[in-house]
Amino acid sequence: MSVTVRNLLKLPSLANATVIAGKEGLDKIVASVSVLETMEYELIDDHAYLNDEFNGSEIVITGFLNGAEDIDAQYNSVKRLALSGEAGLILYYVGVIVKKVDPSIIKLADELKFPIIVMPENQFNLRYSEAITDIMGLIIRDQISGEPMIVSLLESISKLPVHQQNVGTTIRLISNRLRSSVILTTDKNNTLYEAAWPSELAGIHTDIEDLNANDFKTNPISFPKMEDALVYKEDVNISGTKYNLYVVHVGGPLAGILLQQTVEGVRIALKLWGKDKGESVATEIVEAILTDQPVKMRSLSAMFNLDIESVDSMWVINDSTFSADDVHLVTNEAHKFCRTVCADLYKESIVLFTDNIKKKADVDALRANIETVLGKDVRISFFTNLKDTGEVRSAYLLNYDSWRDASRIMPDKEFFVRGDIEFASACRQIVEDGADSISDYLNLFDVIEDKKGNDDYIDTLCTFLLDSNSNVQMTSEKMFVHKNTIKYRIRSMSDCLGFTIGSMPESEKLFKACGVKRLLD
């Protein structure tokens, strides 16, 4: 759980406070607390709103002490704080310093969904320190025992203005969370981003740039410029480009899981806000779905306004030579039929997620369009009515393990549904269970061969069941044999087995016998 403005209202120091504006913003995440008394709002513009340096997600405490009667200054300060990504404002000494909050400020805060919390009015004995202690205590307890850092990180970024959703902001938020300085450099140790903790250490990157790979015979190493500080160095690789990530931490070793999540957070930021932003978003969401990380998936989709919750169908265009251009082509075709579409290359296949297509005719049409735009023979697996990321991952792994077997068992088929893949998986399991298991199924063929003594009958049986949907005419065309001959063979084999071939459930074992035979062949 991440701490929100709403959570703060339950603290003892804020128990008697009142939310007078911006109630729709009470679920904003609070990462820290800050005190502001200057009413020179241009400074806020220069140092927060228009600056790449981000210090947002703070709850700001003020009494408007040096602008108690300047409504314009109060108005513009609130506006700049909201636009710079701050979580809200706690206002002290109303009725004493500021006689009342002007209605224009309340209206502005409501429009910007920027919470303004007023402490008990007409009291001059209130102390900022009580709220600061309470708030920071709650935040630290949450960070120790709460959800993974990567989740709260994505949540925090998703609630920021678009202009602040970038790599620098991500690194600043990580720095605030770790209470550590975080520096990202190129492979040659040229600094790209620095987030110093505390802020007076700004410029610490110059000392980091003096380090080299030979210094890290162990990881971490002692930081020569600061007593009791450790420097961790981690590699971040994005599409063949290597970055160095340094974390300078004071106060003992940093937990390994926090370092892992720091690397993951920076890696995601570099991909999301690189030059191919749209592709990277899809990449991260697809990976989150297929690795069953629902919280990460929801956070990313909320950040980029993608209704991923409506997705219940997965298309896997299996194992061929695909490019990013092919993904674009497939995505464009899917948009013709679906409102929500997310696709990417994953383990040499194109994985496409869509919301439900109600009509089978539309499924067939999209499949045909995909085959056309790719301009090559492809085998597509289609899974629908998937309820959650767990089901999606299970379906993906099932397909990954079994689509090649499905292709061997049903070589004429280019579009597989879940039943086809599950059937192939069941046949493979029979083979892997060993000789006794295989014989139990192939004995059915012995019954036919003992009475007919002709391999053409077994070939006819496999073609009839696996390739022709138990259709005599189709079997005839595939085998170049007159349909009356096919009828005779099917009838004769039915007599041998004692049931009508193709009828269910009697033919279930026979279907699997044919599948096993083709796997063995």
Side-chain angles (χ1 to χ4, degrees), residues 337-353:
F337 297 87
C338 310
R339 290 173 301 174
T340 302
V341 175
C342 187
D344 190 44
L345 288 172
Y346 193 84
K347 296 186 184 296
E348 300 181 344
S349 298
I350 296 177
V351 182
L352 167 68
F353 294 102

Side-chain angles (χ1 to χ4, degrees), residues 29 128 231 256 271 437 451 508 518:
I29 293 172
Y128 290 175
V231 184
K271 294 188 74 175
S437 173
K451 294 184 179 181
E508 181 180 357
R518 286 194 170 174

